[in-house]
Amino acid sequence: MAGSEAKTAVEWLVSVAPDPDACRWEWERNPLGVALLPAGRRWDVLILPGALGSPALDILSRLVDRPGPVLADLGDSRLGFFVPAGTAARWLGTGVRGAGHGTWIVVPYPGRAPAGGVRWLVAPDGHGTLTDPALLELAMHEAASRAGGGRRNGLDG
């Protein structure tokens, strides 16, 4: 991520913080390079198990030029897809956790190598690009179908 792109991404992320300066300070001084940000203002996060989230991200990346931001925890056991605010309250998917209004997300500094823990698989672009929940759902169904040995797109051959 180029320096100006990282700066734009930082500004986009801290715009949801109750105190943007405190958020920047935390990023600079926290040895892990992370800060807590509130979900539900500009974005929610749908948290998928890694076994579903990783293949869904691969499929999603083929469907769109650039998906919205995606976080991964240590070991990629969970992936967090940034989706429009309000999505978590309406999401009904089994095994998917939603972080929306009233929840906080551990967010690493964009454009900097992580010291451990959470890292960006797809960093924010700073322009507010988010993952379309309908496309994410399609990617999840396709990933689950492939994992279960189902036929691609439900078609023979």
Side-chain angles (χ1 to χ4, degrees):
M1 176 178 275
S4 62
E5 189 175 315
K7 182 176 174 147
T8 305
V10 167
E11 294 308 312
W12 179 74
L13 286 167
V14 301
S15 70
V16 302
D19 184 344
D21 291 332
C23 180
R24 286 185 198 92
W25 185 90
E26 185 67 22
W27 266 329
E28 293 298 323
R29 284 153 186 85
N30 182 312
L32 296 178
V34 298
L36 284 174
L37 290 176
R41 292 185 180 179
R42 290 191 182 212
W43 40 262
D44 286 355
V45 179
L46 294 179
I47 303 163
L48 283 63
L52 177 61
S54 291
L57 177 58
D58 289 341
I59 293 164
L60 187 62
S61 295
R62 285 186 241 128
L63 295 174
V64 296
D65 290 335
R66 186 184 201 294
V70 180
L71 292 171
D73 69 357
L74 187 62
D76 295 350
S77 63
R78 289 183 302 249
L79 273 64
F81 291 80
F82 281 52
V83 294
T87 301
R90 298 184 306 271
W91 193 266
L92 300 174
T94 302
V96 176
R97 291 185 14 222
H101 182 73
T103 60
W104 293 75
I105 299 295
V106 174
V107 180
Y109 190 93
R112 189 177 298 155
V118 176
R119 71 182 198 296
W120 292 108
L121 293 179
V122 179
D125 62 7
H127 301 291
T129 301
L130 298 169
T131 296
D132 179 329
L135 287 178
L136 177 58
E137 184 175 16
L138 286 172
M140 290 168 53
H141 284 290
E142 180 69 18
S145 174
R146 289 180 184 181
R151 294 181 304 245
R152 186 172 185 189
N153 297 325
L155 303 173
D156 290 320

